[in-house]
């Protein structure tokens, strides 16, 4: 199985500051078709996860442009510019290159 | 609007079985892969498995393959998760999801306890 490892945030994050969440995969998620098979989700308290980013850097419909995804084949970053109250929750990366699909352990964002 | 509504959860004794349902609406159900994800209390997300449009291909996370079965009824626009030999480690919120599109249900709680 592909193991996904997420980094921690130096919480709490001051409102209006930027935050970067890292994720590392045990195998390259870059397919021969040129796409990188990585999703980012946000799970707000008490809610279902919401898809933010797919194909490593494509924002899902309706997602603020304050969210951006980048990376290489095995190292990925989700950047949140100008953190707001609605960004509070747990962020998860997920690979969908192979079965079983696997998630990172989650990164909690708290607001100052 | 895409809507996924899980049902069938509740309190179940260890060793027993339980079948969850996910009613889909707002899209052409038989055009999509569907899947299940669970989340134990205070823990992260665990992918359970996915089923393709005509049920000819089902993928599971290996550790759950022998106790969980995913199925679907395209005529009823419903996805199922049959769970057997339940233990306390299966206590979780179970989410159904339309694979690859970011649409998830609100989840249903399953508690395994005597």
């Amino acid at each position: 199985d592909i193991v996904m490892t997420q980094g921690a945030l130096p919480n709490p994050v001051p409102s209006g500051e930027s935050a970067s969440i890292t994720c590392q995969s045990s195998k390259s998620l870059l397919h021969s078709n040129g796409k990188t098979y990585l999703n980012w989700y946000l799970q707000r308290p008490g809610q279902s996860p919401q898809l933010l980013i797919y194909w490593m850097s494509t924002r899902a419909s309706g997602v603020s442009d304050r969210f951006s995804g980048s990376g290489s084949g095995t190292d990925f970053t989700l950047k949140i510019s100008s953190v707001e109250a609605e960004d509070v929750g747990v962020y998860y990366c997920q690979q969908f290159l192979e079965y079983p699909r696997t998630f990172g352990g989650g990164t909690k964002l708290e607001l100052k | 609007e895409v809507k996924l509504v899980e049902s069938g959860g509740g309190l179940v004794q260890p060793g027993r079985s339980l079948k969850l349902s996910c009613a889909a609406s707002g899209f052409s159900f038989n055009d999509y892969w569907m899947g299940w994800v669970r989340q134990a209390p205070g823990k992260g997300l665990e992918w359970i498995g996915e089923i393709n449009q005509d049920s000819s291909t089902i993928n599971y996370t290996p550790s759950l393959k022998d106790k969980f079965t995913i199925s679907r009824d395209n005529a009823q626009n419903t996805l199922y998760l049959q769970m057997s030999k339940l233990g306390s480690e299966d206590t979780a919120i179970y989410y159904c999801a339309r694979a690859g599109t970011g649409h998830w249900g609100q989840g249903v709680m399953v508690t395994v306890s005597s």
Side-chain angles (χ1 to χ4, degrees):
Chain A
D1 299 1
I2 297 177
V3 177
M4 306 298 290
T5 303
Q6 293 185 230
L9 275 174
N11 281 316
V13 178
S15 178
E17 295 289 305
S18 65
S20 292
I21 299 169
T22 61
C23 171
Q24 191 171 50
S25 59
S26 61
K27 176 179 177 177
S28 176
L29 304 183
L30 176 61
H31 193 275
S32 57
N33 63 12
K35 293 185 175 182
T36 302
Y37 285 56
L38 181 89
N39 290 330
W40 284 101
Y41 289 90
L42 164 60
Q43 186 175 32
R44 297 184 175 96
Q47 295 188 17
S48 305
Q50 172 197 357
L51 181 65
L52 297 175
I53 302 282
Y54 58 97
W55 300 131
M56 187 181 69
S57 60
T58 302
R59 272 189 301 277
S61 176
V63 173
S64 169
D65 60 5
R66 294 184 299 101
F67 292 91
S68 61
S70 64
S72 63
T74 58
D75 294 275
F76 313 99
T77 301
L78 175 70
K79 183 176 180 181
I80 312 165
S81 62
S82 190
V83 170
E84 300 177 359
E86 65 180 22
D87 303 332
V88 166
V90 180
Y91 291 79
Y92 295 94
C93 58
Q94 181 206 25
Q95 65 81 19
F96 58 106
L97 180 69
E98 294 181 356
Y99 289 107
R101 311 305 196 208
T102 43
F103 291 93
T107 300
K108 190 171 187 178
L109 186 148
E110 298 171 331
L111 199 64
K112 188 175 184 178
Chain B
E1 178 196 4
V2 173
K3 196 169 183 182
L4 300 169
V5 180
E6 301 92 340
S7 61
L11 178 63
V12 60
Q13 292 180 327
R16 303 296 292 267
S17 298
L18 192 67
K19 189 172 187 177
L20 304 182
S21 300
C22 171
S25 60
F27 66 100
S28 182
F29 181 73
N30 56 12
D31 282 346
Y32 290 88
W33 283 71
M34 298 293 297
W36 291 94
V37 176
R38 71 178 181 178
Q39 185 171 37
K43 302 296 184 182
L45 301 171
E46 181 180 21
W47 184 85
I48 296 172
E50 287 176 0
I51 184 170
N52 74 339
Q53 291 89 335
D54 65 1
S55 304
S56 60
T57 301
I58 309 174
N59 296 294
Y60 297 95
T61 199
S63 61
L64 299 176
K65 186 174 183 178
D66 292 336
K67 51 189 290 187
F68 287 8
T69 302
I70 297 173
S71 62
R72 65 192 293 164
D73 183 339
N74 287 343
Q76 298 293 323
N77 292 338
T78 302
L79 176 72
Y80 300 102
L81 180 65
Q82 176 72 52
M83 303 183 291
S84 63
K85 304 172 189 174
L86 287 165
S88 58
E89 68 278 8
D90 299 311
T91 293
I93 297 173
Y94 286 76
Y95 297 100
C96 82
R98 194 175 82 173
T101 66
H103 293 92
W104 294 47
Q106 285 306 300
V108 63
M109 185 71 204
V110 172
T111 303
V112 183
S113 175
S114 54

